[in-house]
Amino acid sequence: MLSFDIVTIFPDFFREAFDYGIIRRARGAGLVEVEAHDLRQWTSDKHRQVDDRPFGGGDGMVLMPEPIFDAVQSLTGSSERGSFEKSTRVVLLSPQGRVLTQALAREFATEAEHVVLICGRYEGVDERVVEALVTDEISIGDYVLSGGEPAAIVLVDAITRLIPGALGNETSAVNESFSEGLLDYPHYTRPVEFRGMQVPPVLMSGHHGEIASWRREQALEKTARNRPDLLK
Ligand code: 9D3
């Protein structure tokens, strides 16, 4: 069983986020568990303060270290990076992280049993969280989000579907590794003609060899056009 604990100031953001499709089925099968926790539950002052102004000046607010360290302590039993179980990962979602890849998602799916996801907000998170608590600082790509919450959903999704037994049919995972490195080929279903647009006749020819080489050629063409970086 892989457990995800999400630490956030917007726990309601995740209402229903994990109630659909593969993640729902994986939860139902007891393969994963996902829970969102309100960071403010680890405050003790009257105003339940989680952020403060940055030393050195500048715009915006910074998430304070203490509630985050207390959250991780209560969720894992420790709040020192060096003292976690090897299968425990404490992730900070942040624009300063390593960019998420399929290889990293696979590493989590095969090695991790407990993943704590800390969602950044405001201008950032006190760097002592990164220095002494976090095992992995992860970004989901080079664009600006308003916070780490959408990135946490992406990470849970990418990892969960790689857990053995999470995908309904085996072929999806097989095909994925088979065509790795290229974008997918185009797909068609009925009707044969739609608004004057035809399904490529080769797909209805029954010649499996010709269909396979058409798909390879189309995948290459689409990759060259949309993702030339993948061909290098
Ligand atoms: C002004 C400089 N910005 C840093 C690039 C400030 C800033 C922007 C966005 C601070 C926090 C955020 C919120 N984003 C995330 O927390 C985040 C994120 C993202 O913005 N892009 C891709 N992956 C991620 S993971 C978390």
Side-chain angles (χ1 to χ4, degrees):
M1 160 78 84
L2 171 54
S3 293
F4 294 99
D5 284 301
I6 301 170
V7 176
T8 172
I9 58 166
F10 296 133
D12 287 350
F13 189 93
F14 298 91
R15 258 194 352 232
E16 296 201 2
F18 307 115
D19 292 351
Y20 300 91
I22 289 166
I23 300 180
R24 181 194 181 97
R25 198 169 54 236
R27 291 173 67 208
L31 299 172
V32 294
E33 212 169 56
V34 194
E35 214 174 319
H37 307 271
D38 188 345
L39 178 62
R40 291 186 201 280
Q41 78 187 85
W42 289 286
T43 58
S44 44
D45 63 308
K46 185 175 71 175
H47 296 105
R48 306 216 295 164
Q49 186 180 351
V50 293
D51 62 338
D52 208 337
R53 295 155 68 190
F55 279 117
D59 287 335
M61 300 289 271
V62 175
L63 286 179
M64 297 153 62
E66 191 179 13
I68 296 175
F69 274 77
D70 286 351
V72 172
Q73 174 72 46
S74 85
L75 293 169
T76 71
S78 174
S79 55
E80 272 189 88
R81 181 171 46 213
S83 308
F84 298 123
E85 300 277 359
K86 207 173 127 263
S87 57
T88 296
R89 310 286 286 254
V90 178
V91 173
L92 176 66
L93 284 319
S94 120
Q96 283 72 48
R98 313 148 67 189
V99 176
L100 178 63
T101 60
Q102 189 66 10
L104 187 58
R106 206 174 293 124
E107 184 185 314
F108 273 68
T110 55
E111 296 176 8
E113 292 176 87
H114 189 191
V115 181
V116 178
L117 304 171
I118 301 162
C119 302
R121 271 275 153 183
Y122 309 104
E123 286 312 297
V125 176
D126 188 288
E127 190 66 14
R128 288 164 291 191
V129 168
V130 177
E131 290 168 2
L133 186 63
V134 160
T135 63
D136 303 87
E137 187 175 12
I138 298 176
S139 159
I140 61 165
D142 293 338
Y143 36 81
V144 181
L145 303 174
S146 327
E149 284 80 6
I153 294 175
V154 167
L155 189 55
V156 168
D157 190 297
I159 294 169
T160 298
R161 58 187 299 289
L162 295 176
I163 295 169
L167 289 184
N169 78 49
E170 299 288 323
T171 54
S172 307
V174 170
N175 285 343
E176 256 170 24
S177 46
F178 173 70
S179 58
E180 212 157 336
L182 287 186
L183 300 185
D184 206 357
Y185 52 77
H187 301 264
Y188 295 87
T189 186
R190 293 191 299 175
V192 165
E193 185 192 325
F194 177 72
R195 296 192 174 187
M197 298 178 283
Q198 309 294 324
V199 172
V202 62
L203 297 179
M204 296 171 296
S205 68
H207 293 116
H208 300 298
E210 284 181 34
I211 291 170
S213 36
W214 180 86
R215 284 177 169 169
R216 242 188 313 277
E217 175 198 295
Q218 291 289 314
L220 268 166
E221 203 172 285
K222 192 171 273 267
T223 306
R225 185 169 343 110
N226 288 349
R227 292 295 306 277
D229 56 300
L230 294 180
L231 294 176
K232 283 165 190 148

